[in-house]
Amino acid sequence: MSELVPLPALRDNYIWTYCDDQGRCLVVDPGQAQPVRDYLERSGHRLTAILATHHHPDHVGGIPELVRDYEVPVYGPARESIPGNARALGDGETLQLDAPALSFRVLHIPGHTLGHIALYTEDADPPLLFCGDTLFAAGCGKLFEGTAEQMLNSLDRLADLKPETRVCCGHEYTLNNLRFALAVTPDDDGVQQRYNQVEKLREDNQVTLPSTLAEERRTNPFLRVDDETVRAALRERAHGDDRSALFGALRQWKDQF
Ligand code: ZN
Ligand code: FE
């Protein structure tokens, strides 16, 4: 049996691990080394690869130590500087790993940072998407380097992947994101239901991830700028009626929320 485990790190980060049935595993966005070391020790699994979605310290901070201790290859976005002598991954490229045997499609998804990438594979069942700080459960990343238009294009590409895809993002922001989603679409039963579920999980200190793309399409306001209810809520906040303007207004609203 393969195993997908989010390791809590720093304040609210997750380092994702995926292991095959022989205990060979990759880690994604190790902002710290210690949670990975602890996980490998208690599971007996062997680290074979490190993947990075973008250059922020809370996603790459543990890489130098892990490379030193485990001597594994690092893969990261072509347009950003990632520690560990990372091999560059550009849009549309395929990353073929042997153990675990997974072939990832690389998607360049600028917005949060300019070089940000996502890694997507259909070799796992259901498919897996590692999307860092671009698509969050019920939210999206802040626009630190890119524009609203870039982020919207990036989210459009992710939303097009298979609905059953497991969304593995970089932070436990779900409850707060759903609070905002409820402000945007207060009468949406689906959003309210998800809020209730997630609130319960967080009361028990449980992880709210991975979610699925189907769930995100239904309840994540940032994937719903074409939805009439969301558009209506944004109209008085947006300068213009096109998708980018509406999306920009939504992102700005969330920043001030
Ligand atoms: Zn980030
Ligand atoms: Fe982050």
Side-chain angles (χ1 to χ4, degrees), residues 197-212:
Q197 282 164 7
V198 164
E199 191 183 38
K200 234 179 237 125
L201 285 172
R202 293 311 293 154
E203 276 168 10
D204 300 336
N205 233 326
Q206 292 201 53
V207 180
T208 64
L209 303 167
S211 67
T212 65

Side-chain angles (χ1 to χ4, degrees), residues 61-218:
I63 292 179
E65 262 179 78
L66 291 173
V67 167
R68 188 194 65 204
D69 294 353
Y70 299 99
E71 294 175 16
V72 291
V74 181
Y75 304 90
R79 300 175 184 215
E80 294 184 359
S81 148
I82 303 294
N85 204 11
R87 297 168 208 197
L89 302 174
D91 189 58
E93 266 186 67
T94 300
L95 168 62
Q96 178 69 57
L97 298 179
D98 295 332
L102 296 174
S103 165
F104 284 97
R105 175 149 44 110
V106 179
L107 294 105
H108 175 222
I109 46 166
H112 179 67
T113 65
L114 285 176
H116 201 303
I117 57 167
L119 295 150
Y120 174 69
T121 182
E122 293 182 355
D123 292 337
D125 185 24
L128 284 173
L129 175 68
F130 297 110
C131 50
D133 289 355
T134 299
L135 174 62
F136 287 127
C140 81
K142 285 192 176 159
L143 303 178
F144 283 128
E145 298 175 12
T147 64
E149 195 178 359
Q150 283 176 318
M151 181 59 107
L152 180 59
N153 283 335
S154 297
L155 292 176
D156 283 345
R157 290 185 70 193
L158 299 183
D160 252 1
L161 302 170
K162 288 196 171 171
E164 66 271 28
T165 299
R166 288 173 280 181
V167 176
C168 305
C169 55
H171 291 268
E172 180 60 69
Y173 290 159
T174 318
L175 185 58
N176 193 42
N177 285 341
L178 283 165
R179 240 174 235 133
F180 176 68
L182 273 178
V184 180
T185 50
D187 301 323
D188 191 309
D189 291 340
V191 175
Q192 183 66 56
Q193 256 174 40
R194 189 177 184 192
Y195 179 89
N196 295 343
Q197 282 164 7
V198 164
E199 191 183 38
K200 234 179 237 125
L201 285 172
R202 293 311 293 154
E203 276 168 10
D204 300 336
N205 233 326
Q206 292 201 53
V207 180
T208 64
L209 303 167
S211 67
T212 65
L213 270 182
E215 176 88 290
E216 296 311 324
R217 279 184 214 162
R218 269 197 306 269

